[in-house]
Amino acid sequence: MSKKKSAAIKPAISTGKPLKKRILDNWQLYAMLAIPVILTVIYKYIPMYGIQIAFRDYKASRGFTGSEWVGFEWFQRFFSAPTFGRMMKNTILLSLFSLLWSFPIPIILALMLNQVRFQRFKRITQTVLYAPHFISVMVVCGMIKIFLSPSGGLLNLIAGTSIDFLTESSAFRTIYIASGIWQDAGWGIIVYMATLSNVDTSLYEAAKVDGASLFQRIIHIDVPALKSVMVLNLIMSAGGLMNVGFEKVWLLQTNLNKATSDVIAVYVYQQGIENAKYSYSTAVGLFNTVINIILLLVVNKLAHRISEDTSFI
């Protein structure tokens, strides 16, 4: 390469401009970036000032700083509550089972759809899979109650029974997880399908020439291409592991299925909104958030270690 060409390339690689100069030169981009940053600060960080009421006996008339400081009293009360063990167990099991069942389904669907060569059928299938995502949780819960109704419900008509499944504690987790997969699995394949569309087609052609079967091409070409996206989605899912979908649980919960449906998110709503115990509900919510942060850090560490140690991906 001539000196003239290298001199032309050098400024593009390293300008050496100070930060202030770079900001002034690209102020339009920084102005666009400022909008989401400001919104994040206003709606995510400033409200964190109110976390202190978890350590106070909060009275609205006295304000945050005027309320009495009680330390960890509300946390101790939550840990000694008779339903603490049941709520923790239900929240963890419901979240864990949801993750174990719902996480691989979009990956499998994406791998299957990627092998479809009839584009019209592929587009129709994708549309059918996407559609449930746009149905509100309230409508979904209404549909579930109709389908599982003991009198005229679709499932009971097929099975020839008259069971009220929503009053069965043993059936609640299955209903919650299955409805979640039906509603969100199709939407979850979008990122995976976009990733697979960028895979170099010459890799498939070379694999065919070498005699690789369809399954071998999926394992050695498609799965490695999805590795980084899978790890990222796993970390994001684990970060909200304790945040069980409040709306669906609350709408499907009955007095007869509380043995498996009584979770922390619903308890926070009941104590904070229905019973106006603001300090207590904030303490419970803060405890739940801390557990989520710990899980996020642990899963992030494990995911990076697995991705480094696993040879085939």
Side-chain angles (χ1 to χ4, degrees):
M1 182 181 291
S2 64
K3 292 182 178 180
K4 186 176 181 180
K5 290 183 178 179
S6 61
I9 296 174
K10 188 175 180 181
I13 298 175
S14 177
T15 60
K17 293 181 180 179
L19 177 62
K20 184 178 179 180
K21 179 64 175 175
R22 293 200 301 271
I23 293 176
L24 291 175
D25 290 344
N26 303 280
W27 67 269
Q28 300 93 337
L29 298 177
Y30 285 99
M32 293 176 61
L33 181 63
I35 297 173
V37 170
I38 293 172
L39 291 175
T40 301
V41 171
I42 292 174
Y43 292 105
K44 297 296 183 180
Y45 285 91
I46 293 179
M48 291 176 66
Y49 176 76
I51 290 177
Q52 63 178 295
I53 69 175
F55 306 94
R56 296 179 181 272
D57 185 10
Y58 177 69
K59 305 293 183 184
S61 59
R62 299 178 182 176
F64 290 142
T65 57
S67 300
E68 181 185 357
W69 183 270
V70 296
F72 292 95
E73 178 182 337
W74 303 119
F75 295 92
Q76 294 172 357
R77 181 174 298 186
F78 175 57
F79 298 150
S80 60
T83 57
F84 171 75
R86 185 177 72 179
M87 285 188 296
M88 284 295 298
K89 177 185 176 182
N90 291 338
T91 302
I92 293 173
L93 289 181
L94 198 58
S95 302
L96 186 61
F97 289 155
S98 296
L99 180 62
L100 290 176
W101 283 102
S102 62
F103 181 75
I105 297 298
I107 301 172
I108 296 171
L109 288 174
L111 292 172
M112 294 173 62
L113 280 175
N114 190 54
Q115 302 303 319
V116 176
R117 294 294 172 259
F118 298 99
Q119 293 302 317
R120 182 178 177 82
F121 175 77
K122 186 176 182 179
R123 288 194 298 268
I124 293 174
T125 304
Q126 286 178 295
T127 303
V128 171
L129 292 174
Y130 296 161
H133 178 78
F134 299 98
I135 304 175
S136 69
V137 175
M138 184 171 293
V139 174
V140 170
C141 291
M143 295 169 63
I144 292 172
K145 291 179 179 180
I146 293 172
F147 292 152
L148 302 181
S149 173
S151 57
L154 181 61
L155 188 58
N156 279 301
L157 289 176
I158 294 174
T161 58
S162 58
I163 302 173
D164 190 354
F165 292 97
L166 290 176
T167 62
E168 299 287 337
S169 297
S170 57
F172 180 81
R173 291 186 187 128
T174 302
I175 295 170
Y176 179 91
I177 295 170
S179 61
I181 292 173
W182 172 76
Q183 189 174 16
D184 296 324
W187 185 256
I189 71 175
I190 292 177
V191 176
Y192 297 116
M193 291 296 295
T195 304
L196 291 173
S197 66
N198 292 322
V199 177
D200 190 355
T201 55
S202 63
L203 296 175
Y204 297 110
E205 295 172 359
K208 288 181 181 179
V209 172
D210 291 340
S213 64
L214 176 61
F215 182 74
Q216 289 173 326
R217 294 197 297 271
I218 292 175
I219 292 297
H220 296 287
I221 299 176
D222 292 340
V223 174
L226 296 176
K227 179 188 70 172
S228 58
V229 180
M230 288 191 294
V231 171
L232 179 61
N233 282 343
L234 178 62
I235 294 172
M236 293 176 65
S237 300
L241 192 63
M242 297 289 287
N243 292 334
V244 178
F246 157 74
E247 297 91 347
K248 188 186 294 184
V249 175
W250 187 62
L251 290 169
L252 295 179
Q253 188 180 75
T254 65
N255 290 329
L256 297 176
N257 65 20
K258 277 193 173 183
T260 53
S261 66
D262 199 9
V263 296
I264 294 177
V266 175
Y267 186 69
V268 170
Y269 171 81
Q270 291 171 339
Q271 296 300 317
I273 304 299
E274 295 182 354
N275 299 331
K277 297 179 180 179
Y278 303 119
S279 293
Y280 182 58
S281 61
T282 302
V284 177
L286 181 58
F287 165 76
N288 197 44
T289 302
V290 170
I291 298 298
N292 271 331
I293 293 173
I294 295 173
L295 289 173
L296 177 62
L297 295 174
V298 171
V299 173
N300 185 30
K301 187 69 175 178
L302 291 175
H304 283 295
R305 181 172 296 180
I306 291 172
S307 63
E308 291 174 358
D309 295 342
T310 306
S311 59
F312 81 94
I313 61 171

